[in-house]
Amino acid sequence: MVPHLTTAQTAPLLELEQRILDAMPRIEHWLRSQWQEHQTPFYASVDLRNAGFKLAPVDTNLFPGGFNNLNPDFLPLCVQAAMAAVEKLCPDARRLLLIPENHTRNTFYLQNVAALTNILRQAGLEVRVGSISPDISVPTKLDLPQGGELLLEPVQRLNNRLVLDNFDSCGILLNNDLSGGIPPILQGLEQTLIPPLHAGWAVRRKTRHFAVYSRVARDFAELIGIDPWLVDPQFAHCGMIDFQARTGEDCLAANVADLLSRIGAKYREYGITQEPFVIVKADAGTYGMGIMTVKSPDDVRGLNRKQRNKMSVVKEGLQVQEVMIQEGVYTFESINEAVAEPVVYMMDHYVVGGFYRVHTSRGQDENLNAPGMHFVPLAFERSCSLPDCAGRPDAAPNRFYAYGVIARLALLAAAIELEETAPEDERSLQPAGLPIST
Amino acid sequence: MVPHLTTAQTAPLLELEQRILDAMPRIEHWLRSQWQEHQTPFYASVDLRNAGFKLAPVDTNLFPGGFNNLNPDFLPLCVQAAMAAVEKLCPDARRLLLIPENHTRNTFYLQNVAALTNILRQAGLEVRVGSISPDISVPTKLDLPQGGELLLEPVQRLNNRLVLDNFDSCGILLNNDLSGGIPPILQGLEQTLIPPLHAGWAVRRKTRHFAVYSRVARDFAELIGIDPWLVDPQFAHCGMIDFQARTGEDCLAANVADLLSRIGAKYREYGITQEPFVIVKADAGTYGMGIMTVKSPDDVRGLNRKQRNKMSVVKEGLQVQEVMIQEGVYTFESINEAVAEPVVYMMDHYVVGGFYRVHTSRGQDENLNAPGMHFVPLAFERSCSLPDCAGRPDAAPNRFYAYGVIARLALLAAAIELEETAPEDERSLQPAGLPIST
């Protein structure tokens, strides 16, 4: 099922996608050379927004939590990519300890853990799920809504190793994004942590990611001869924000005004009549808390108590101090009249699937990663086959090829970002000024 | 569609497959370590025979010719594996020159070339098909039976490079098995030949492959604790055969007698009541010519003119001098009452699909790679997923996992075989005593 494009601006989109299709061998050759130079993250998911005139990533998640939403028909693709990823990062591994998020009551998330475990087992690994949640003090079987169950076991720290009963692994796969800081139990381990600790939100910043992405987008745009803006959302940064104490409002309002004016100039250049908007969100963290749509600097001044509460915390009660102001990209895709945005999943540097995030009560200019959203799995097709090259650029395989390209640009940016932010010795990582929870 | 097992000996088969399933993490770990040590061929296909009591490869093809028979649903798996193979063998390649077999009138084969070209293009390469056939002196469009067409262009030799008009590639992919010898136009090239020339039947010998396979099978059998014979067909070799001149009959008869007696001993050990048989085939070459089923040494004495003609030549009129006598493995799989044997396809070291070779007028003890055979695509599933681990070992995904394991053992044997037969300098390869055709 392919969403229908409801935008009137199909022409520039088709032109952009046609350019991506035409440049396919050049793009793949360039990406191959990039993967020779940069170590790909083990896995990632990228939220895209397709505005018709623009196709861009708006969030890159290095601890993807929706493997259960992928089309089961493409499971072999995940398994094959997982084999490649394991071969690169830990070829000698027989076992893998998977550490999930602590929210053990979110059954959607538990299904993701079950799906991910299944993929890794099919890739030939012995996988067990070790929880660092204080709620899990004994091995606990949790029922899954689709049937089956998931066994969570409490991890034990033995010197510098994390183990389970009768289970000592050389690698540990994190599916916990460390929004609440790096817990001491994960610090100073001698086992390989995948991804490394500095990929978690305790260290990562969205603005750093998108700064690298801008460089990648510039190189890519030059490669295929387009304006980088067509694939790159602009952004600004404010540190030292305290929504509760109402400090930092001036920085926010000034940056919103500046960014709206820059977007407005681009809209005029391309004859786009929509109203520019920006998204204000926490610079670290995930799960769609602390996000608002803004169309005027006035929108961020004099927030009421409810708005300030909403903006001031992200997951696990972490206070928002740093804020990203990101160019809003309209989503003009819809399924059954509901607004949809594509999410692309990757393991190693392979696109393994994706799905549409659909929200029935949200507008084209709103964040869709929020309560009430409804997921529709997207039967992701790979690429441009011969008959489709002759076909329309918005035919499903072609649209999905373009999505896979832009998602891989974000993945490449994440790879470079992780290189540039890697500590001298990851094992002694303890970033100054960041909250360390237990 | 999964063929039905018609054998009464389901017990040992289930036991063998159950052992393979149970040992899955150990097998995958062991295979991972093997791929670290040995360079995998770019692609391969392996013919398997499933006798119920025994599951073994009978032929390993390093120039697979049936990509068109794979389930199109699994095309993304081929594309992803092709990307991995290209990254390893020629990461800098933008273009690939594909050199097919010369039989340009075999439309089934042309569909294979089209399917392979499509896979490589989707992996992001510019691919053109260059023929070395004397029939192709100008660019020639050939219609494909399923629609579409294939463009064959005559290759040109410029110093030590093979090129087409406006097309110079750093790599050349051979889909020509060199049964007729290594043509001078392919000798001494500075471009990378994939697979290398010594993977062709001008150099390769089935007995050398199966000698390496026996070593691999022994290691594998030790790993999972089984009798190696359960996955390894025994064989013998006769050189200096001339079917037309009736020389070498004694060698053949003696080896047939010895092999039948060894198989008989194994059959008695396992309580198998079928009659042992052997397959006599050319030690070099393919396409199912020069193959006969033999149940007694008398069968190879006093062959009539028709039989001698059939045995004495393989593809491209090459005379058979060396013969392999291979343990016959019954196939007890059937589809709609027709006898079937599985063929597994691999790219790099990934299983990318497979199909059943089905022959409606052949017996369980006959070679199925022969005129009149009818192909049924096999919807290959990858592996043992959790619910299937709890399920019957002959459930489809489990059977296919076992097939994928045995096929990869043959692939590993081919990798080691190519290492051991590699000339000091492949580019000056000109094996003594082998026919060099033009």
Side-chain angles (χ1 to χ4, degrees):
Chain A
M1 181 185 196
V2 185
H4 191 66
L5 265 189
T6 54
T7 174
Q9 282 83 1
T10 48
L13 169 76
L14 296 181
E15 195 186 311
L16 173 59
E17 294 195 339
Q18 189 62 58
R19 261 183 203 273
I20 292 177
L21 281 172
D22 290 346
M24 182 195 177
R26 222 178 322 150
I27 293 169
E28 296 298 330
H29 177 262
W30 178 77
L31 282 172
R32 262 202 303 283
S33 70
Q34 298 300 315
W35 305 134
Q36 305 277 320
E37 284 173 41
H38 305 289
Q39 183 177 305
T40 330
F42 185 84
Y43 53 15
S45 68
V46 175
D47 294 0
L48 298 176
R49 301 277 289 196
N50 188 348
F53 50 86
K54 178 165 187 161
L55 172 60
V58 293
D59 205 3
T60 302
N61 187 347
L62 297 180
F63 303 90
F67 278 98
N68 52 314
N69 296 315
L70 302 181
N71 185 337
D73 290 348
F74 287 85
L75 183 60
L77 215 49
C78 294
V79 172
Q80 189 174 292
M83 285 173 151
V86 168
E87 265 174 53
K88 274 189 208 164
L89 290 175
C90 45
D92 294 333
R94 293 167 188 275
R95 297 178 200 90
L96 207 55
L97 174 60
L98 174 62
I99 297 188
E101 298 284 352
N102 289 354
H103 33 69
T104 50
R105 287 190 201 125
N106 180 339
T107 52
F108 286 108
Y109 177 71
L110 294 178
Q111 285 181 292
N112 164 66
V113 176
L116 180 56
T117 305
N118 182 37
I119 289 165
L120 295 165
R121 286 195 178 134
Q122 293 208 40
L125 293 164
E126 288 174 43
V127 183
R128 280 162 67 179
V129 184
S131 177
I132 56 172
S133 165
D135 298 342
I136 303 293
S137 55
V138 293
T140 306
K141 280 188 179 167
L142 299 169
D143 288 327
L144 298 173
Q146 308 278 324
E149 54 189 19
L150 184 70
L151 177 65
L152 296 187
E153 300 176 70
V155 293
Q156 302 153 39
R157 174 106 180 201
L158 286 183
N159 299 317
N160 290 330
R161 300 185 74 79
L162 280 192
V163 299
L164 306 178
D165 282 340
N166 302 313
F167 191 82
D168 189 349
S169 67
C170 81
I172 296 175
L173 182 64
L174 290 177
N175 195 250
N176 183 316
D177 69 12
L178 308 177
S179 281
I182 300 173
I185 199 171
L186 293 182
Q187 294 176 28
L189 292 173
E190 64 188 39
Q191 289 147 302
T192 305
L193 280 167
I194 305 165
L197 288 175
H198 69 282
W201 286 121
V203 177
R204 231 183 135 214
R205 293 295 173 270
K206 293 191 174 92
T207 46
R208 197 147 49 199
H209 174 70
F210 279 96
V212 180
Y213 179 80
S214 281
R215 281 147 50 194
V216 169
R218 204 167 50 227
D219 290 348
F220 174 77
E222 195 182 320
L223 181 80
I224 70 166
I226 59 167
D227 177 354
W229 179 75
L230 295 175
V231 296
D232 187 18
Q234 308 196 30
F235 69 92
H237 172 258
C238 284
M240 309 299 288
I241 298 280
D242 185 338
F243 283 99
Q244 296 297 7
R246 297 173 185 259
T247 57
E249 265 188 22
D250 289 343
C251 172
L252 208 50
N255 274 297
V256 165
D258 174 62
L259 193 51
L260 284 172
S261 128
R262 282 192 282 152
I263 301 166
K266 275 293 179 186
Y267 276 24
R268 282 189 297 279
E269 180 184 338
Y270 285 96
I272 294 154
T273 54
Q274 267 80 17
E275 190 182 358
F277 72 103
V278 299
I279 299 284
V280 177
K281 51 185 166 186
D283 203 11
T286 182
Y287 278 80
M289 298 158 86
I291 291 199
M292 61 189 285
T293 299
V294 172
K295 294 190 176 176
S296 150
D298 296 339
D299 294 349
V300 295
R301 290 189 190 276
L303 297 179
N304 63 31
R305 177 178 299 273
K306 190 180 160 201
Q307 289 171 313
R308 283 181 315 181
N309 282 344
K310 187 183 151 211
M311 286 305 293
S312 62
V313 289
V314 287
K315 205 175 60 165
E316 310 205 0
L318 200 67
Q319 290 296 312
V320 173
Q321 292 178 309
E322 294 179 272
V323 161
M324 180 191 205
I325 305 112
Q326 186 178 44
E327 175 184 348
V329 182
Y330 281 93
T331 183
F332 286 124
E333 289 186 288
S334 68
I335 296 173
N336 299 335
E337 298 182 17
V339 178
E341 72 183 20
V343 186
V344 176
Y345 270 62
M346 290 161 290
M347 298 190 84
D348 195 88
H349 57 261
Y350 302 105
V351 176
V352 295
F355 54 87
Y356 276 93
R357 189 176 282 144
V358 178
H359 202 302
T360 46
S361 60
R362 296 247 159 177
Q364 296 174 340
D365 56 1
E366 286 185 286
N367 168 56
L368 299 187
N369 194 354
M373 67 192 163
H374 162 65
F375 288 117
V376 177
L378 150 74
F380 204 93
E381 297 198 41
R382 281 288 297 179
S383 182
C384 163
S385 64
L386 289 178
D388 296 313
C389 268
R392 284 168 52 86
D394 63 352
N398 296 348
R399 169 132 298 148
F400 293 151
Y401 178 68
Y403 287 176
V405 169
I406 303 302
R408 283 182 290 167
L409 298 184
L411 180 73
L412 175 57
I416 297 169
E417 172 200 353
L418 290 183
E419 272 169 28
E420 292 179 352
T421 55
E424 292 285 309
D425 175 8
E426 277 170 35
R427 289 172 193 173
S428 62
L429 181 73
Q430 195 153 348
L434 282 165
I436 305 292
S437 74
T438 45
Chain B
M1 181 185 196
V2 184
H4 192 67
L5 265 189
T6 54
T7 173
Q9 282 85 2
T10 47
L13 168 76
L14 296 182
E15 195 186 310
L16 173 59
E17 293 194 340
Q18 189 63 57
R19 262 182 202 274
I20 292 176
L21 281 173
D22 291 345
M24 182 195 176
R26 221 178 322 150
I27 293 170
E28 295 299 330
H29 179 261
W30 178 77
L31 282 172
R32 260 201 305 283
S33 70
Q34 298 300 314
W35 304 134
Q36 304 278 317
E37 285 172 40
H38 304 289
Q39 183 177 306
T40 329
F42 185 84
Y43 53 15
S45 69
V46 174
D47 293 0
L48 298 176
R49 301 278 287 196
N50 188 347
F53 51 87
K54 179 166 187 160
L55 172 60
V58 294
D59 205 4
T60 302
N61 187 348
L62 297 179
F63 303 89
F67 278 98
N68 52 315
N69 295 315
L70 302 181
N71 184 337
D73 289 347
F74 287 84
L75 182 61
L77 216 50
C78 294
V79 171
Q80 189 173 295
M83 285 174 151
V86 167
E87 265 174 52
K88 274 190 209 164
L89 290 174
C90 45
D92 295 332
R94 291 167 189 275
R95 297 178 200 91
L96 206 56
L97 174 60
L98 173 62
I99 296 188
E101 298 283 351
N102 288 352
H103 33 71
T104 50
R105 285 188 203 131
N106 180 340
T107 53
F108 287 109
Y109 177 71
L110 294 178
Q111 285 181 293
N112 164 67
V113 176
L116 181 57
T117 303
N118 183 36
I119 290 166
L120 296 165
R121 285 193 179 136
Q122 294 210 37
L125 294 164
E126 288 174 42
V127 184
R128 281 162 67 178
V129 184
S131 177
I132 56 171
S133 163
D135 298 344
I136 303 293
S137 54
V138 293
T140 306
K141 279 187 180 170
L142 299 169
D143 288 326
L144 298 173
Q146 307 277 325
E149 54 188 19
L150 184 70
L151 176 65
L152 296 187
E153 301 177 69
V155 293
Q156 302 153 39
R157 174 109 180 197
L158 286 184
N159 300 316
N160 290 331
R161 301 186 75 80
L162 280 192
V163 299
L164 307 177
D165 281 341
N166 303 314
F167 192 82
D168 189 349
S169 67
C170 80
I172 296 175
L173 182 64
L174 290 177
N175 196 250
N176 182 315
D177 69 13
L178 310 176
S179 282
I182 300 172
I185 198 170
L186 293 182
Q187 294 175 28
L189 291 173
E190 65 187 38
Q191 290 146 302
T192 305
L193 281 166
I194 307 166
L197 288 176
H198 69 282
W201 287 120
V203 177
R204 232 182 134 216
R205 293 293 173 270
K206 294 191 174 91
T207 47
R208 197 146 49 197
H209 174 71
F210 279 97
V212 179
Y213 180 80
S214 281
R215 282 149 46 196
V216 169
R218 204 167 51 227
D219 292 346
F220 174 77
E222 196 182 320
L223 181 79
I224 69 165
I226 58 167
D227 177 354
W229 179 74
L230 295 175
V231 296
D232 187 19
Q234 307 198 29
F235 69 92
H237 172 259
C238 284
M240 309 299 289
I241 298 281
D242 184 338
F243 283 99
Q244 295 299 8
R246 295 175 188 260
T247 57
E249 264 188 20
D250 289 343
C251 172
L252 208 50
N255 274 298
V256 165
D258 174 61
L259 193 52
L260 285 172
S261 129
R262 282 192 281 152
I263 301 166
K266 276 292 179 186
Y267 276 24
R268 282 189 298 279
E269 180 185 337
Y270 285 95
I272 293 153
T273 53
Q274 268 80 16
E275 190 182 358
F277 71 102
V278 300
I279 299 285
V280 176
K281 51 185 166 185
D283 203 11
T286 183
Y287 278 81
M289 297 158 85
I291 290 199
M292 63 190 283
T293 298
V294 171
K295 294 191 175 175
S296 149
D298 296 339
D299 293 349
V300 295
R301 289 188 190 278
L303 296 178
N304 63 31
R305 175 177 300 275
K306 190 180 161 203
Q307 290 170 314
R308 290 193 325 251
N309 282 345
K310 187 183 150 209
M311 288 304 294
S312 62
V313 288
V314 285
K315 207 176 58 164
E316 310 205 359
L318 200 68
Q319 290 294 313
V320 173
Q321 291 177 312
E322 293 179 89
V323 161
M324 179 192 207
I325 305 111
Q326 186 178 43
E327 175 184 348
V329 182
Y330 282 93
T331 184
F332 285 124
E333 288 186 289
S334 68
I335 296 173
N336 299 334
E337 297 180 19
V339 178
E341 72 183 19
V343 187
V344 176
Y345 270 62
M346 288 160 293
M347 297 189 85
D348 195 88
H349 58 262
Y350 302 105
V351 175
V352 295
F355 55 86
Y356 277 92
R357 189 175 280 145
V358 178
H359 203 301
T360 46
S361 60
R362 296 246 159 177
Q364 297 173 339
D365 56 1
E366 286 185 287
N367 168 55
L368 299 187
N369 195 353
M373 67 193 162
H374 163 65
F375 288 117
V376 176
L378 152 73
F380 204 91
E381 299 198 37
R382 280 286 297 177
S383 182
C384 163
S385 65
L386 289 180
D388 297 313
C389 268
R392 286 167 52 86
D394 62 350
N398 296 348
R399 170 133 297 147
F400 292 150
Y401 177 68
Y403 288 176
V405 169
I406 303 301
R408 283 182 289 167
L409 298 184
L411 181 72
L412 175 57
I416 298 170
E417 172 200 352
L418 290 183
E419 271 169 30
E420 292 179 353
T421 55
E424 293 284 309
D425 175 7
E426 278 171 34
R427 289 172 192 171
S428 62
L429 181 74
Q430 194 152 350
L434 282 166
I436 306 291
S437 73
T438 46

